[in-house]
Amino acid sequence: MILAFTGDPFLAYEALLQEAKVRGLSPRLLPPQPALVVQEASGGLFGPSGALVDLREISEGEWKPLKEALEPLPERVVVLLLDPKPTAARSKWYSKERIREHPTPQGKDLVRWIENRAKAMGLKTNAAIHQYLASLLGGRSGAENPALGLEALQRELDKLTLVTPPITLEKVQALVALEAPISGFDLVRAVTEGKVSAAFRQLQGLMERGEDPIRILGALSWQYAKLARAWAHLNEDPLLGESEAASLLGMHPYAAKQTLALAKSVDAEMLDQALETLVKAEQAAKTGRDPRLALEKAVAELSAQARLLKR
């Protein structure tokens, strides 16, 4: 059985993982390599037969041999394909019976999605907050840039779990930063290593390229949230590999590899302090104070925390 999960990248990925869980399959996403997919799909002596395959960046040259490998697989073998934006040829090959479409919610549906998500997370939010968050996403799609999609909204909801109740619209407006730049990893690495000079060189480079201080703070928060999740997964499985980490973290394998390496050098105390520092910095940057000063202060504090904990 072949099922293709299409539509919104975030929703398609979540639905694929849920389907894998129901079927007892490993959540590990495989690259579109025919031999590897067939080997994983065949299962073991006791494990279920099935594989999860990431087609988000597949080329037409890679698709043809993969399709040829999938076609002869028996019906009992489950292959779940993450393919948010399939080509017309792939859609035709899947057929309607194989496609599990998960469109991005729009308008009132988006507001309802945010409300249900917040409720499931135990957040006590209100209609004004849901409308505000929905308005930030507007008609923009996260297919090409997850910083503009549902994944970004989920990150902001995750951030709100750190806010002292009650959660008001004013607090949300002060903290939310959806358009984080994607070039902040080197800055995070320098900060977590306690290298103040290197951190400020990276920061200066981002500023010179025209990045807004609030967006850089958003990038730092995003990177630290991923770092915290990677640390938690490593704590459960010290042998966690980059492919499985990429699946669990929703990152490209190379980015997951970097994040895993960094996660091995931090601890829970450092991460807790860093996330708290970033929440305060974003709040300061968005409540009338100098955003650049708030950013620079946060970078200095994060670096100092790292140096103290590494002694």
Side-chain angles (χ1 to χ4, degrees):
M1 175 187 293
I2 296 174
L3 296 177
F5 293 79
T6 64
D8 185 270
F10 183 70
L11 296 183
Y13 180 58
E14 282 201 331
L16 177 140
L17 291 180
Q18 181 60 35
E19 185 72 24
K21 183 178 180 180
V22 169
R23 296 179 179 274
L25 301 177
S26 166
R28 183 165 67 105
L29 272 178
L30 301 175
Q33 299 173 6
L36 181 61
V37 171
V38 171
Q39 180 183 358
E40 183 81 4
S42 63
L45 184 61
F46 302 104
S49 299
L52 283 59
V53 190
D54 188 352
L55 303 187
R56 285 175 291 186
E57 298 181 15
I58 193 171
S59 66
E60 283 304 297
E62 292 174 308
W63 167 244
K64 184 178 178 181
L66 179 62
K67 182 181 73 169
E68 292 174 351
L70 294 175
E71 287 176 331
L73 291 176
E75 183 66 17
R76 63 178 175 77
V77 174
V78 179
V79 179
L80 308 181
L81 305 175
L82 179 58
D83 196 359
K85 298 184 68 177
T87 62
R90 291 207 299 275
S91 293
K92 183 178 180 181
W93 185 79
Y94 295 149
S95 76
K96 291 183 179 180
E97 291 74 22
R98 289 174 167 175
I99 291 178
R100 299 294 181 267
E101 175 72 12
H102 297 274
T104 303
Q106 302 289 338
K108 292 182 179 179
D109 290 335
L110 177 58
V111 176
R112 192 176 300 112
W113 183 87
I114 295 170
E115 179 182 2
N116 293 336
R117 204 79 176 189
K119 187 180 297 183
M121 296 170 65
L123 292 171
K124 293 183 178 181
T125 50
N126 57 43
I129 292 173
H130 308 149
Q131 290 282 356
Y132 173 72
L133 290 174
S135 71
L136 292 177
L137 193 62
R140 301 177 297 183
S141 169
E144 289 78 23
N145 185 355
L148 301 180
L150 295 185
E151 183 180 356
L153 283 178
Q154 181 61 57
R155 290 201 304 270
E156 299 308 324
L157 291 172
D158 290 339
K159 194 186 301 179
L160 294 182
T161 62
L162 302 173
V163 174
T164 302
I167 300 175
T168 64
L169 177 60
E170 290 72 21
K171 288 181 180 179
V172 174
Q173 290 173 328
L175 291 174
V176 167
L178 282 180
E179 295 185 273
I182 60 173
S183 55
F185 186 83
D186 289 337
L187 174 58
V188 173
R189 180 165 51 197
V191 166
T192 56
E193 291 175 352
K195 297 178 178 178
V196 183
S197 297
F200 274 92
R201 281 198 301 272
Q202 292 292 335
L203 182 58
Q204 183 64 29
L206 291 172
M207 294 284 200
E208 289 175 354
R209 292 201 294 272
E211 293 289 7
D212 182 78
I214 293 177
R215 294 185 64 199
I216 297 174
L217 277 170
L220 281 171
S221 296
W222 182 83
Q223 293 283 7
Y224 266 96
K226 293 290 186 182
L227 186 59
R229 287 178 59 192
W231 181 89
H233 287 305
L234 276 173
N235 201 41
E236 293 180 358
D237 180 9
L239 299 179
L240 182 68
E242 62 187 76
S243 295
E244 188 174 358
S247 174
L248 292 170
L249 299 173
M251 303 176 77
H252 187 279
Y254 177 73
K257 180 180 179 180
Q258 289 185 304
T259 303
L260 274 181
L262 197 55
K264 293 175 181 178
S265 68
V266 300
D267 58 26
E269 184 180 359
M270 178 190 292
L271 292 170
D272 286 343
Q273 289 183 3
L275 291 171
E276 183 178 351
T277 295
L278 288 166
V279 167
K280 291 179 179 178
E282 285 196 49
Q283 190 168 19
K286 292 187 172 185
T287 52
R289 303 180 193 178
D290 184 344
R292 179 162 184 162
L293 179 61
L295 172 60
E296 291 176 344
K297 181 180 178 183
V299 169
E301 289 182 2
L302 291 170
S303 301
Q305 291 166 6
R307 287 200 311 274
L308 286 174
L309 292 171
K310 286 178 180 293
R311 285 180 179 175

